[in-house]
Amino acid sequence: QVQLVESGGGLVQAGGSLRLSCVASGSTFSLHAMGWFRQAPGQERDFVAAMNYGGDIRFYADSVKGRFTISRDNAKNTVYLQMNSLKLEDTAVYYCAADFLGNSGLMQSKTYDHWGQGTQVTVSS
């Protein structure tokens, strides 16, 4: 079973950049699709970005397309979310998630069996 730990959150000014990291335990990281989701207070947990386990397909929410980039380093058991041109509305707790042999339904939170604890991202004006 995969255990996930996010890091890299913090306070950043609008227009700035931040890179989130999610480190996974175990030896089967490369066999898991990875996703990033976020949840603002009082709101639903929304899809942000995902990459299938093969690493050849990426998905992005329209709200972050062109600003965020998901990537993975299987040798480091790590998935990243590079966030550029941050906006106030990006403020949320960001969660990474893993799905064994995931190749479909990756924009849906219910697809994922493994979740990290979340890391807070706060964008200020």
Side-chain angles (χ1 to χ4, degrees):
Q1 188 178 40
V2 173
Q3 295 184 355
L4 308 172
V5 179
E6 302 101 329
S7 63
L11 177 65
V12 64
Q13 292 187 40
S17 298
L18 208 59
R19 188 179 77 162
L20 306 183
S21 299
C22 176
V23 180
S25 66
S27 60
T28 60
F29 174 77
S30 64
L31 299 180
H32 288 77
M34 299 298 299
W36 287 97
F37 293 77
R38 66 187 183 187
Q39 187 169 23
Q43 300 186 14
E44 298 285 326
R45 182 171 296 187
D46 294 327
F47 169 76
V48 177
M51 178 177 288
N52 73 323
Y53 83 92
D56 59 332
I57 304 174
R58 303 183 191 200
F59 306 88
Y60 295 98
D62 289 342
S63 59
V64 307
K65 193 171 297 182
R67 299 188 298 120
F68 291 10
T69 302
I70 186 171
S71 62
R72 65 191 298 162
D73 187 339
N74 289 339
K76 296 181 178 180
N77 272 27
T78 302
V79 63
Y80 304 96
L81 184 67
Q82 179 66 47
M83 304 184 294
N84 298 326
S85 301
L86 284 161
K87 305 174 180 180
L88 264 61
E89 52 263 43
D90 295 320
T91 295
V93 176
Y94 284 71
Y95 300 89
C96 67
D99 179 38
F100 183 62
L101 298 180
N103 204 44
S104 63
L106 300 183
M107 294 184 289
Q108 305 167 34
S109 62
K110 62 183 180 181
T111 296
Y112 299 85
D113 290 327
H114 310 284
W115 292 85
Q117 83 288 349
T119 185
Q120 176 71 47
V121 172
T122 302
V123 184
S124 66
S125 60

